[in-house]
Amino acid sequence: MRSFTDVATIANNATAILGPARLGVRWVDVGPPVRAEIIVMPSSGEDSAHEVTLGETFPVGEETWRFADLVMSSLDEWEVTVRRVDGSEAPPIGRPWERARLSPYGQLDEAQLQAVEAALGQPLPPDYRDWLRRNNGAQPEVDHHVPGVTFTLMPERPLFGVHPQHPPTDLVPAQRVHRDPWFSPEWLVIARPSGGLLLVSTAQPYDSTVYFLPEQDMVGPISAARERKLRPVAGSMPDLVGRLAPLDVAHLPPAQLAPFGTDIDRDGGRH
């Protein structure tokens, strides 16, 4: 039986119907080489699994199909394209997600974590506390962003850790500088990227969401209205790391010459 189509796209947590079978993808690996495990579920008979590298083929009943493309928006959002092998088949492309290039500062022991909580006067949210224990913050090797969100995490603006010897990247003094003018202690600022703030909630310890506040909303006194402007950008700290991607400078607008006597900082502000 011939398939209904010559090409099919399979999103994560979804299947595609070809005719003689449904296809699913158990996992993808950006490699190199780019790989995936494709599950063939025929309308009759047993399922079969095929680990294939980008460009390799696998059987679907009496037909031969090729792992032709992988497009990733993040580690949790991707699409695999497969094509029936024939004379009109397009060559494999592959646009895998480029992993975040972050350098953790190390690890923290329980005594250090308790000292941080004592200095903050409140417990750390459990999910963030565990991430901090394992990483003690992280410094990007290059500028990073979450596609579609207007902030840039830079080497000089890392994810905060415990660094008493360097207050600008230390979690405790960061609250006095970056949180207290805008938020109550029910929030914890975990980074001050270009473009705004990254925060987690301390009032709801089992809410692992990482939120973003755009810089244009950092005006006026502390208020509940500002909290309503927070935008969730990741479900947890590991999810945030999975969504961060090195910034492609080709996506930026062309550089402009500043008028004489004007300084432009990396945020695009003038002073």
Side-chain angles (χ1 to χ4, degrees):
M1 180 178 179
R2 185 173 173 81
S3 301
F4 297 142
T5 180
D6 293 325
V7 60
T9 300
I10 313 161
N12 55 298
N13 300 320
T15 60
I17 300 176
L18 300 183
R22 288 185 301 121
L23 296 187
V25 180
R26 182 166 292 158
W27 51 260
V28 296
D29 181 359
V30 297
V34 177
R35 299 169 59 247
E37 183 177 9
I38 298 176
I39 311 299
V40 179
M41 297 166 278
S43 53
S44 61
E46 296 184 356
D47 298 352
S48 59
H50 307 273
E51 294 187 19
V52 287
T53 299
L54 185 66
E56 289 184 341
T57 62
F58 59 95
V60 180
E62 298 178 355
E63 300 176 347
T64 300
W65 284 70
R66 189 182 307 278
F67 175 20
D69 199 1
L70 169 64
V71 176
M72 301 186 74
S73 300
S74 75
L75 291 179
D76 298 319
E77 299 177 20
W78 42 261
E79 290 183 340
V80 164
T81 298
V82 295
R83 296 180 181 274
R84 189 204 321 274
V85 174
D86 59 26
S88 63
E89 179 193 5
I93 303 174
R95 295 184 293 275
W97 181 255
E98 186 175 356
R99 295 180 184 272
R101 292 157 57 186
L102 302 180
S103 298
Y105 289 107
Q107 297 183 341
L108 299 174
D109 58 30
E110 182 60 27
Q112 290 173 302
L113 290 169
Q114 291 182 8
V116 170
E117 292 176 322
L120 291 172
Q122 61 188 148
L124 294 165
D127 177 79
Y128 177 73
R129 190 182 200 270
D130 184 62
W131 183 87
L132 192 66
R133 176 185 61 80
R134 291 183 287 108
N135 297 276
N136 191 22
Q139 182 179 38
E141 296 178 12
V142 297
D143 292 359
H144 283 64
H145 70 150
V146 171
V149 187
T150 56
F151 74 81
T152 304
L153 201 66
M154 302 180 287
E156 62 270 29
R157 296 194 181 193
L159 293 164
F160 295 138
V162 179
H163 312 292
Q165 74 284 2
H166 192 246
T169 62
D170 188 79
L171 186 67
V172 174
Q175 305 314 303
R176 294 193 295 270
V177 175
H178 302 301
R179 178 195 66 188
D180 294 349
W182 318 113
F183 289 95
S184 73
E186 293 186 347
W187 297 93
L188 186 74
V189 172
I190 63 170
R192 172 57 168 102
S194 170
L197 300 173
L198 291 177
L199 307 95
V200 294
S201 171
T202 60
Q204 303 180 58
Y206 296 103
D207 176 10
S208 300
T209 307
V210 179
Y211 296 90
F212 171 63
L213 179 75
E215 197 164 63
Q216 62 265 27
D217 294 321
M218 295 168 60
V219 294
I222 296 173
S223 67
R226 179 176 292 112
E227 295 184 11
R228 291 194 290 270
K229 295 179 180 180
L230 288 170
R231 175 180 176 181
V233 294
S236 64
M237 288 301 296
D239 185 34
L240 174 66
V241 173
R243 291 179 179 275
L244 284 169
L247 187 63
D248 183 355
V249 295
H251 294 166
L252 296 178
Q256 296 181 348
L257 291 177
F260 179 77
T262 302
D263 292 327
I264 299 181
D265 61 21
R266 297 195 68 177
D267 292 344
R270 296 188 178 187
H271 34 253

